[in-house]
């Protein structure tokens, strides 16, 4: 008998028919003698619908009172899907109970809309499991120390599931979704993408942070920190497939780097359309400019990603960086109003129609020429590289958004990712 956490995403919970299917699958696992905790997402489209209603009444803004209400609102999506799943399980003859995050309680900090989990009290969950119930815990949410409901950021149910698995020392966390595992790149963009039977935790962390939305990055961080065995698999297989076959399907996130992994130089390609580029032009080249520019941005709680500073000519230089597109207007306004006059720089210009494409692989550590192969492949397609950033196991380029799919396809082929 094992303690297993199942997580089902929005599409998997998308209709009463699908919820019934999830219930049959979960009941099958419980009948096999396992203790099961299920963490569901809201039904697909529900979180967007709720947040859309809020925006009809007042546009999104960096305002604590407003964000608190967004969390009150968005958290109801998971509350509904969790109760529906409990009802479906009971209809299957499987005793089940659902809890909202605050009832467990999953304690978080008070950063509304992007709260972080601080602790989980699993007492009542364990008691229910011992009584033979399947326990359902809403994904995506928790409660702060003053009793306010918080949410964990978009895609946050993955993090709820892994955090529950970590807190309860579960034997495994199974992330059921609408694809049958982690692919070399998004299979909806490149049809030749291949499923990876295993991916190292480090690579998964890079892929998630570079834009592969199959797992929320915080969930991978949790899995790494607490060594939670984790697998991504499909909720669209027939619910009654053999449980042993199901347990081995999908993609395992592994903490060991085996020989086969070392052979693959590049394991996957990630892309991200959520960023915008900002350049401060004609900055006097003297000590402290990076701090003056990026310090002001950080003070406004805006995260910066790729950064480049050019060589100076006649004592002046250009300084560019990327931020999330949602922060673009705020960042340029801030630079124009406060930083430009203080620095004596010439101009702030920006571009929101960019994307970041990255190759990821632990094999890159021990191979030279990987980045240059990437650049050659992009040049053969006539794609101009605007920015580059590298780390030990990834190389990212910022390019014009309209070439994103072309770039991902070309790189997928250049690194033979379509070959088994
Ligand atoms: P869920 O609702 O189950 O959480 P998501 O939509 O958040 O599902 O994540 C699954 C989606 O992630 C897939 O439908 C796929 O389009 C996308 N995706 C992006 N990159 C990858 C990748 N490398 N492998 C698999 N899926 C990916
Ligand atoms: N329902 C939330 C979202 O749409 C959380 C999740 O699905 O993981 O972002
Ligand atoms: Mg998701």
């Amino acid at each position: 008998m094992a303690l297993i956490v199942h997580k089902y995403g929005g599409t998997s919970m998308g209709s009463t028919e699908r919820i019934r299917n999830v219930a049959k699958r979960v009941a099958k696992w419980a009948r096999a003698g396992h203790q099961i905790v299920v963490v569901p997402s809201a039904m697909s489209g529900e979180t967007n619908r709720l947040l859309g209603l809020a925006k009809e009444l007042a546009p999104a803004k960096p305002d604590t009172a407003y964000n608190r209400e967004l969390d009150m609102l968005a958290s109801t999506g998971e509350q509904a899907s969790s109760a529906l799943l409990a009802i479906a399980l009971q209809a299957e003859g499987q005793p089940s109970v659902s809890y909202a995050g605050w009832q467990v309680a999953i304690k978080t900090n008070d950063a509304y809309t992007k709260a972080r989990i601080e602790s989980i009290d699993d007492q009542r969950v364990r008691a229910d499991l011992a009584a033979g119930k399947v326990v359902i815990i809403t994904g995506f949410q928790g409660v702060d120390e003053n009793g306010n409901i918080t949410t964990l950021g978009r895609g946050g149910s993955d993090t709820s599931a892994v955090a529950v698995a970590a807190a309860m020392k579960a034997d495994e966390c199974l992330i059921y979704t609408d694809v049958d595992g982690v692919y070399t790149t998004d299979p909806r963009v490149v049809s030749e993408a291949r499923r990876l039977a295993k991916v190292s935790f480090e690579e998964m962390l890079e892929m998630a942070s570079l834009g592969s939305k199959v797992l929320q990055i915080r969930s991978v961080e949790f899995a790494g920190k607490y060594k939670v065995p984790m697998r991504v698999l499909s909720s669209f297989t027939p619910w009654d497939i053999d449980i042993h076959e199901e347990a081995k399907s999908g993609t395992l996130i592994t903490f060991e780097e085996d020989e086969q992994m070392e052979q693959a130089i590049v394991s996957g390609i990630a892309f991200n359309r959520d960023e915008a580029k900002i350049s401060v032009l004609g900055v006097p080249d003297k000590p402290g400019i990076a701090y003056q520019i990026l310090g002001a941005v950080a003070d406004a709680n805006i995260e910066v990603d790729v950064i480049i500073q050019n060589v100076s000519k006649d004592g002046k230089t250009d300084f560019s960086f990327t931020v999330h597109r949602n922060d673009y207007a705020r960042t340029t306004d801030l630079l124009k109003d406060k930083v430009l006059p203080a620095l004596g720089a010439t101009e702030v210009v920006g571009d929101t129609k960019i994307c970041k494409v990255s190759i990821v692989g632990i094999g890159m550590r021990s191979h030279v020429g990987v980045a240059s192969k990437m650049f050659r492949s992009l040049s053969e397609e006539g794609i101009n590289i605007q920015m580059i950033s590298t780390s030990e196991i990834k190389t990212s380029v910022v390019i014009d958004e309209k070439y994103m799919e072309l770039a991902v396809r070309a790189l997928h082929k250049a690194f033979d990712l379509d070959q088994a």
Side-chain angles (χ1 to χ4, degrees), residues 7-10 41-43 47-48 74 78 139-140 153-158:
K7 181 258 170 176
Y8 291 90
S41 287
M43 295 170 78
T47 311
N48 285 345
E78 271 73 8
F140 183 50
R154 299 307 304 267
S157 298
D158 296 330

Side-chain angles (χ1 to χ4, degrees), residues 214-276:
V214 60
L215 288 175
Q216 199 201 36
I217 179 159
R218 290 281 297 138
S219 72
V220 189
E221 286 170 1
F222 254 105
K225 191 166 172 196
Y226 298 100
K227 296 280 177 295
V228 179
M230 183 175 178
R231 186 179 284 277
V232 176
L233 67 172
S234 172
S235 70
F236 287 83
T237 54
W239 69 266
D240 55 355
I241 62 164
D242 179 69
I243 201 167
H244 302 290
E245 193 186 315
E246 186 174 325
K248 282 187 288 185
S249 67
T251 301
L252 178 72
I253 317 298
T254 145
F255 298 101
E256 291 149 26
E257 295 178 12
D258 61 21
E259 276 168 29
Q260 200 197 342
M261 288 179 157
E262 274 171 33
Q263 281 162 17
I265 300 172
V266 170
S267 303
I269 299 172
F271 51 84
N272 177 348
R273 268 176 281 218
D274 298 338
E275 292 185 23

Side-chain angles (χ1 to χ4, degrees), residues 64-111:
T64 308
Y66 180 85
N67 285 339
R68 180 191 182 280
E69 302 312 323
L70 288 186
D71 284 2
M72 269 298 277
L73 179 69
S75 62
T76 62
E78 271 73 8
Q79 193 171 326
S81 63
S82 295
L84 290 170
L85 180 57
I87 290 168
L89 274 160
Q90 290 164 9
E92 293 297 319
Q94 170 59 55
S96 175
V97 58
S98 71
Y99 293 115
W102 64 269
Q103 291 175 303
V104 172
I106 296 178
K107 297 257 173 66
T108 71
N109 65 10
D110 62 1

Side-chain angles (χ1 to χ4, degrees), residues 24 29 57 71 103 123 141 149 185 215 244 256 278-281 291-292 294 409:
K24 287 182 189 294
W29 279 79
L57 295 169
D71 284 2
Q103 291 175 303
Q123 239 180 320
Q141 59 198 266
I149 290 176
T185 192
L215 288 175
H244 302 290
E256 291 149 26
I278 296 172
S279 300
V280 188
L281 307 181
Y291 173 64
Q292 259 184 289
L294 299 181
R409 286 211 183 89

Side-chain angles (χ1 to χ4, degrees), residues 142-349:
V143 62
D144 74 7
E145 61 176 356
N146 296 314
N148 298 300
I149 290 176
T150 55
T151 68
L152 310 178
R154 299 307 304 267
S157 298
D158 296 330
T159 302
S160 308
V162 180
V164 167
M168 301 197 69
K169 301 198 172 43
D171 295 284
E172 197 165 18
C173 183
L174 301 179
I175 308 279
Y176 286 89
T177 183
D178 57 5
V179 281
D180 63 354
V182 178
Y183 277 66
T184 47
T185 192
D186 190 339
R188 294 187 206 286
V189 171
V190 179
S191 55
E192 294 81 21
R194 262 186 323 108
R195 182 175 61 81
L196 300 162
K198 289 186 203 180
V199 63
S200 78
F201 152 74
E202 268 183 288
E203 285 170 324
M204 196 62 242
L205 198 60
E206 283 288 2
M207 281 176 64
S209 83
L210 295 167
S212 294
K213 296 199 168 118
V214 60
L215 288 175
Q216 199 201 36
I217 179 159
R218 290 281 297 138
S219 72
V220 189
E221 286 170 1
F222 254 105
K225 191 166 172 196
Y226 298 100
K227 296 280 177 295
V228 179
M230 183 175 178
R231 186 179 284 277
V232 176
L233 67 172
S234 172
S235 70
F236 287 83
T237 54
W239 69 266
D240 55 355
I241 62 164
D242 179 69
I243 201 167
H244 302 290
E245 193 186 315
E246 186 174 325
K248 282 187 288 185
S249 67
T251 301
L252 178 72
I253 317 298
T254 145
F255 298 101
E256 291 149 26
E257 295 178 12
D258 61 21
E259 276 168 29
Q260 200 197 342
M261 288 179 157
E262 274 171 33
Q263 281 162 17
I265 300 172
V266 170
S267 303
I269 299 172
F271 51 84
N272 177 348
R273 268 176 281 218
D274 298 338
E275 292 185 23
K277 183 173 87 168
I278 296 172
S279 300
V280 188
L281 307 181
V283 185
D285 194 5
K286 58 179 192 215
I289 54 160
Y291 173 64
Q292 259 184 289
I293 296 171
L294 299 181
V297 175
D299 287 346
N301 243 328
I302 297 167
E303 268 180 53
V304 168
D305 184 23
V306 184
I307 304 169
I308 51 170
Q309 184 184 333
N310 292 330
V311 291
S312 64
K313 191 167 166 254
D314 307 325
K316 300 259 184 184
T317 185
D318 299 337
F319 192 93
S320 304
F321 57 94
T322 63
V323 293
H324 195 282
R325 266 186 215 185
N326 294 346
D327 292 324
Y328 174 75
R330 209 151 64 88
T331 315
T332 46
D333 287 351
L334 172 109
L335 291 172
K336 282 180 188 156
D337 294 349
K338 300 215 178 105
V339 182
L340 209 62
L343 265 181
T346 326
E347 208 184 339
V348 175
V349 294

